[in-house]
Amino acid sequence: MRPQDLHDHDHDHGAGPGPGGGGQDPALGRGPDAAGREAGGGADCEVLVVGAGATGLAAALDLARRGVDVRLVDQSPEPKPGSRAWTLHPRSLEILADLGVIDDVLARASRSAAQHVHARGRLLADLGDRRRGQDSTTTRAGERFTGPVALSQVHLEEILRARLAGLGVRIDFGHTLRHLRQDSRGVVAGLTDEAGDDRRVRSAYVMGADGGQSTVRRLLGLAFTSASPGTPAPTGNSAPAGTSAPTGTSAPTGTPARSGAGAAESAPAVRLWCGDMGVEGLPPADRTYRWCGPDHDITLAPLPHTTRTGATIWAVRIVADAAALGAARPSTDALQTLFQRFTGWTQVRFIEAAWLSAYDIAPGVVDRMRDGRVFVAGDAAHAHSLHAPHAAAGLAAGLCDATNLSWKLAAVLRGAEEDLLDSYEAERLPVALRTSQLSTDPVRELLGDATGPPAARRGAGRILRSLPPQAAGLVLRRRAARDVRRGERDLHYRGSRLSQELGGRRVMLRAGDPVPDVLLWSPARAADVRLSDVRLSGVRSSPPTQATLWTVLGLGSVTTEVVRAALHRFGPAVCGEVIGGGLGTARGVTLLDRYGEARRLLGRQGGSVLVVRPDGHLGLRCGLNPDILEAYLEDLVGASADVAG
């Protein structure tokens, strides 16, 4: 259903005075088609992104490089402090590579540090150094990145902001969203700036990426439901370093009490205290330390900063039952007391808290991710387990949301059919439901603290505890890698209407799956290229574009004419390549499968044509019928726009 079918009348979200709504704001206009009338036939921007965290920044960057006029606003007076998440897994790295910032990311990232895991009063596992994120000698076929890298979310957001500034995109900090009104022609957002002045922003679409305390979600009245039956509704708390955290203040991440009908009033079962703090008394800062128990999970990870006195700053995370934390508020002294209580390590001393925060959460997902012309993404749409927060599941999911939605908005704004936007919720909501219910923490699973068959958990925990720390660390490392790969395999859209199997030869790769980043040989460059490089720029484009395009891949020289027809029909909106065997003597072949990765992972025999979406998922597999290919792309590829270089 298209937005105009849903909102041909004035749609004013929020009722009651103050930040949450109130009576009708006269600055927003009255009557039907108010947004369109106030826009005077125009708009201040094409897309307004609310929230300048990682999700909002990634979406804005993808939109801007596709030629979309985008504006960012954030209620915070300045970029948010604090490490929050600090792990980037391969899928996140692939997205950042697509966004064109991977070189800056890898230049500032470090190895994901070795980790010591303590449980039951002793060192349980010693997880040695992880491999660096980019290592061509150890990658598997179809993979560019082997494992996670460590990069604070603060630094990731700095990189994204710098790239946006280079594209001329403005970020308005200190702007609080008060109202939203939409109709069939656009959206009017009522904002209050830092000086207290009311402002209006008129746009075609709004994306709410404003975190767990999302104002956009609240104004839309979206229900946020727990992913686990019987789990209480979450609430959000946050405080600056050294102060208390009164209920209702905004948190850097996390999820507020459920909006809409059925919101529960009971306190959450799990609470997180976190901060960036100077720490003294730990061994050299070359590893992450973790302490696990039935009612707590504590992580200390070194950051590349020091305090004024030269002490290493550590990212500190204490996850505990709300009952165990009691009524205490986050402060340096309170963290010190809790740490010693749970670990028994009296020699460790916390000093100079640079940032402290606390929030309560239960895994959950909104009931829908779209209301007409307004969308929610990232923590505004879903919340993930607090255990092992360094796993950065929320950050990874937010990046996937951003890149799924942004190319679709850009396409619709350039003439693609508007019902393309329906596929955002249809694709991302099932993934959010799956991932929010998964445990990504092998330590707690093997110790017996996760859900599952109790007997099996106890048995695995006994075996793990019987091993030497290095052997136990190897078990946990392999289990974690397996879980990451399994989770990334679950990031498919096989049930989407955009995923079509209409001929060609079937292989394990199915429409809707992420397309493996196979290694190929480019005769034009006389060099190896990854498929992601082809998608980003096209191996023969000059100058190269900097936005991923629809990519038509022909497997075998027999597909040459079909690929050429697509290029002729859709012009610069698509790129096309024909992949041939290792020798490359056939006419029309532009890339060579010198290493056999395309044969193994894309298809063993020629005659298939693959259409890769701008976000790297397989959209269509078909045979040699150009009419099928043209019919598929016709309503999905908008008119080509200038792409930022």
Side-chain angles (χ1 to χ4, degrees), residues 20 225 379 416 436 446 500 509 596:
T225 55
D379 289 342
S436 68
L446 293 177
Q500 299 290 327
L509 178 68

Side-chain angles (χ1 to χ4, degrees), residues 506-521:
R506 290 285 299 274
V507 293
M508 290 185 64
L509 178 68
R510 295 170 56 186
D513 290 349
V515 177
D517 197 8
V518 296
L519 186 64
L520 302 163
W521 174 263

Side-chain angles (χ1 to χ4, degrees), residues 441-462:
D441 185 2
V443 175
R444 300 195 70 83
E445 284 190 354
L446 293 177
L447 284 176
D449 294 331
T451 59
R457 298 201 318 267
R458 287 196 299 269
R462 283 196 300 268

Side-chain angles (χ1 to χ4, degrees), residues 376-402:
V376 290
D379 289 342
H382 38 70
H384 298 265
S385 171
L386 284 177
H387 291 296
H390 55 283
L395 173 60
L399 292 175
C400 289
D401 288 348

Side-chain angles (χ1 to χ4, degrees), residues 107-432:
R108 299 186 66 174
S110 63
R111 294 176 185 268
S112 197
Q115 184 177 157
H116 279 186
V117 179
H118 297 260
R120 301 176 185 266
R122 71 176 183 88
L123 176 63
L124 173 71
D126 180 356
L127 286 74
D129 287 343
R130 295 180 179 180
R131 297 169 294 175
R132 195 162 179 82
Q134 189 176 28
D135 184 350
S136 60
T137 65
T138 56
T139 54
R140 295 187 180 188
E143 294 181 353
R144 178 177 178 180
F145 303 102
T146 61
V149 299
L151 181 69
S152 169
Q153 187 169 334
V154 170
H155 296 143
L156 173 61
E157 291 173 1
E158 288 176 358
I159 291 170
L160 295 172
R161 284 197 302 272
R163 176 61 175 148
L164 276 170
L167 295 177
V169 176
R170 185 175 76 188
I171 305 176
D172 291 321
F173 288 100
H175 282 60
T176 300
L177 177 67
R178 302 297 187 185
H179 298 276
L180 285 173
R181 177 176 302 172
Q182 60 176 313
D183 53 44
S184 62
R185 297 177 60 187
V187 188
V188 173
L191 304 169
T192 302
D193 65 16
E194 211 167 0
D197 295 330
D198 292 332
R199 299 182 179 274
R200 295 193 308 261
V201 175
R202 297 162 294 182
S203 61
Y205 297 98
V206 170
M207 177 179 176
D210 48 341
Q213 294 277 16
S214 173
T215 300
V216 173
R217 182 182 65 224
R218 176 170 52 80
L219 292 178
L220 294 178
L222 304 182
F224 192 92
T225 55
S226 173
S228 303
T231 305
T235 60
N237 302 311
S238 176
T243 66
S244 63
T247 300
T249 56
S250 63
T253 56
T255 305
R258 286 183 292 191
S259 303
E265 300 295 336
S266 57
V270 179
R271 181 169 296 156
L272 167 66
W273 283 10
C274 53
D276 294 346
M277 310 181 69
V279 178
E280 294 179 342
L282 278 175
D286 61 351
R287 67 201 61 203
T288 295
Y289 294 87
R290 187 174 177 190
W291 294 263
C292 297
D295 62 349
H296 66 270
D297 197 326
I298 299 175
T299 304
L300 270 65
L303 298 173
H305 315 293
T306 57
T307 66
R308 289 168 295 179
T309 60
T312 299
I313 293 181
W314 295 69
V316 179
R317 302 288 187 272
I318 298 180
V319 180
D321 292 344
L325 291 180
R329 300 291 187 179
S331 68
T332 302
D333 290 342
L335 279 166
Q336 182 77 58
T337 300
L338 281 172
F339 178 82
Q340 292 183 356
R341 170 185 163 191
F342 286 137
T343 68
W345 286 36
T346 57
Q347 77 277 19
V348 175
R349 190 165 69 92
F350 294 160
I351 58 174
E352 293 190 48
W355 167 75
L356 284 177
S357 186
Y359 64 96
D360 307 322
I361 199 168
V365 181
V366 290
D367 58 339
R368 52 199 168 94
M369 298 177 74
R370 178 188 184 187
D371 188 312
R373 291 179 172 268
V374 185
F375 304 80
V376 290
D379 289 342
H382 38 70
H384 298 265
S385 171
L386 284 177
H387 291 296
H390 55 283
L395 173 60
L399 292 175
C400 289
D401 288 348
T403 52
N404 183 287
L405 178 58
S406 54
W407 73 262
K408 296 172 182 176
L409 287 171
V412 169
L413 287 165
R414 298 297 175 258
E417 288 296 320
E418 202 158 18
D419 57 7
L420 171 62
L421 298 175
D422 293 339
S423 66
Y424 169 64
E425 177 183 302
E427 292 177 349
R428 291 303 301 161
L429 191 57
V431 172

